[in-house]
Amino acid sequence: MPTDDPDTDERTTIRPGRNFEREYRLDASDAGEFLIALGEQLRDGEELTIGDDEWVLPFAFGDPVALEIDFDGMDEPELEIELELPGRTDETGPRVE
């Protein structure tokens, strides 16, 4: 039985060391709402969290972010927008002594 208590969240948390992929087919308005929420997390912080009723994926991202726009105007025109976020590392560089 689902609950709103985050301490009893039964969704699978996707962690580093695991590959994960899901594909969704959405109405354009639902995809737009997702992109707005994603954009706000990218703009406002250094971490984002995405998920659905079954899984949650927290991700600390770094810079630079790669954005690719691919337009195929032949036959059935298609526009592909890809965003690639590098993971943020907590490692520090060596120091000069």
Side-chain angles (χ1 to χ4, degrees), residues 9-14 20-24 26 30 33-35 37-38 41 47-59:
D9 192 347
E10 296 183 18
R11 298 184 298 172
T12 300
T13 300
I14 309 304
F20 178 79
E21 182 176 333
R22 289 290 186 276
E23 185 172 317
Y24 297 87
L26 307 172
D30 291 337
E33 289 297 323
F34 174 82
L35 291 172
L38 180 66
Q41 286 191 38
E47 296 184 18
L48 61 89
T49 303
I50 58 174
D52 67 13
D53 293 340
E54 297 176 9
W55 58 271
V56 61
L57 194 162
F59 186 74

Side-chain angles (χ1 to χ4, degrees), residues 8 11 14-15 23-24 27-28 32-33 41 49 56-57 61 68 71 76 79 85-86 90:
T8 60
R11 298 184 298 172
I14 309 304
R15 303 232 181 256
E23 185 172 317
Y24 297 87
D27 292 336
E33 289 297 323
Q41 286 191 38
T49 303
V56 61
L57 194 162
F61 60 89
E68 180 180 330
F71 174 67
E76 295 181 33
L79 175 63
L85 305 171
D90 293 330

Side-chain angles (χ1 to χ4, degrees), residues 84-95:
E84 205 169 302
L85 305 171
R88 186 179 73 223
T89 179
D90 293 330
E91 292 182 14
T92 59
R95 61 182 185 276

